Amino acid sequence: MANKNPLIELDNVSKDYQLGNGETYHAISGMSLKIREGEFVAIMGPSGSGKSTTMHILGALDIPTSGKYFFKGKNVGSYTEDELAEIRNREIGFVFQSFNLLPRTTVIKNVERPMIYAGVNEEERKKRATDVLNLVGIGDKAQNLSNQISGGQIQRVAIARALIMNPSIILADEPTGNLDSKTSHEIMKFLTSLNKQGRTIILITHEEDIAKYAKRVIRVIDGKIVSDKTK
């Protein structure tokens, strides 16, 4: 793994926001890090530490104010909006705390959504969605509406949707934030199993017991990396 080029590299990245009173808020300052294919990384920090801003930059949802972000060796700053959208749809599978599913739509249709944007035909969409729902253990819920299943099952649907385009990275932002303790650990064990299959996982969390599942923990305070430890 050490010889591989990084999948992701932040080179002295900063992100500033202009506040309404004319002041500038420095969300992250001079951040540099490399993440290689197959890693399971947790980015930890308290509220306001800059971890969510880091997640938005890593997920190509936002761009740095200064510094460079390289994805698979290419400077993301040179991408057009369409190219950024393509990265978000094909290369990065997002799993959010709020699930972000369409509630009155069936489980399988929710999972198919990224493929619709990518122009995958209906027959192929159904086959791939069925396969990935079986993978996450809820193939029997395919025709249920998303508001008719449990929180843990909903998060499995969100993971299935994140996997459907076979992305380079699973980016999970507080994925257990709305789940009870037992279900949280079930979801984390499942993410661990995906990592063992070779998937790269970046986890954003403020919970120590959730971060323990990762093989590498990066701690962020006041927009700066204060520690970076690999087990």
Side-chain angles (χ1 to χ4, degrees):
M1 185 182 289
N3 295 327
K4 288 182 181 177
N5 289 327
L7 190 58
I8 274 177
E9 181 175 1
L10 297 185
D11 180 13
N12 198 30
V13 163
S14 296
K15 182 65 184 180
D16 301 332
Y17 295 100
Q18 299 303 316
L19 304 180
N21 59 8
E23 291 184 9
T24 301
Y25 171 61
H26 305 290
I28 56 176
S29 305
M31 187 177 288
S32 294
L33 68 88
K34 296 177 182 179
I35 296 174
R36 299 182 188 279
E37 190 177 337
E39 284 201 86
F40 189 166
V41 181
I43 298 177
M44 283 204 77
S47 179
S49 61
K51 65 183 187 298
S52 291
T53 302
T54 304
M55 187 276 294
H56 280 106
I57 287 173
L58 294 177
L61 297 164
D62 208 342
I63 54 173
T65 304
S66 63
K68 293 178 180 178
Y69 171 26
F70 297 95
F71 185 87
K72 289 187 170 180
K74 186 174 178 183
N75 185 357
V76 174
S78 68
Y79 280 55
T80 64
E81 275 301 320
D82 285 347
E83 287 173 324
L84 288 172
E86 185 86 350
I87 284 185
R88 291 192 294 266
N89 196 45
R90 291 182 180 272
E91 296 278 10
I92 302 170
F94 293 95
V95 182
F96 295 105
Q97 176 180 346
S98 56
F99 311 130
N100 287 5
L101 300 183
L102 298 173
R104 291 180 296 278
T105 302
T106 60
V107 163
I108 194 164
K109 290 294 185 190
N110 267 290
V111 173
E112 286 182 14
R113 277 170 66 202
M115 291 187 289
I116 293 171
Y117 300 138
V120 177
N121 70 61
E122 186 176 359
E123 186 179 353
E124 176 70 7
R125 289 202 308 266
K126 189 170 182 180
K127 180 187 181 302
R128 281 166 60 178
T130 300
D131 288 347
V132 80
L133 284 170
N134 287 331
L135 174 69
V136 301
I138 51 168
D140 59 329
K141 303 293 182 186
Q143 298 305 323
N144 286 52
L145 297 182
S146 295
N147 58 1
Q148 294 176 341
I149 56 178
S150 72
Q153 289 169 338
I154 290 172
Q155 193 58 297
R156 284 175 183 264
V157 176
I159 292 169
R161 185 186 56 193
L163 290 170
I164 199 70
M165 298 300 292
N166 196 26
S168 301
I169 297 167
I170 300 291
L171 189 51
D173 184 20
E174 302 278 6
T176 60
N178 286 331
L179 304 174
D180 61 68
S181 179
K182 178 175 179 288
T183 309
S184 294
H185 289 288
E186 286 175 3
I187 292 297
M188 290 312 302
K189 284 173 185 171
F190 183 70
L191 288 175
T192 300
S193 73
L194 291 176
N195 176 247
K196 285 177 180 173
Q197 293 166 26
R199 294 186 185 272
T200 308
I201 297 177
I202 302 173
L203 169 71
I204 311 294
T205 185
H206 67 279
E207 299 180 73
E208 294 283 350
D209 62 331
I210 296 301
K212 283 177 184 173
Y213 285 90
K215 296 173 185 170
R216 176 182 172 194
V217 178
I218 298 169
R219 295 180 187 272
V220 179
I221 294 178
D222 294 334
K224 294 183 174 69
I225 293 173
V226 294
S227 75
D228 183 346
K229 294 180 180 177
T230 302
K231 291 180 184 175

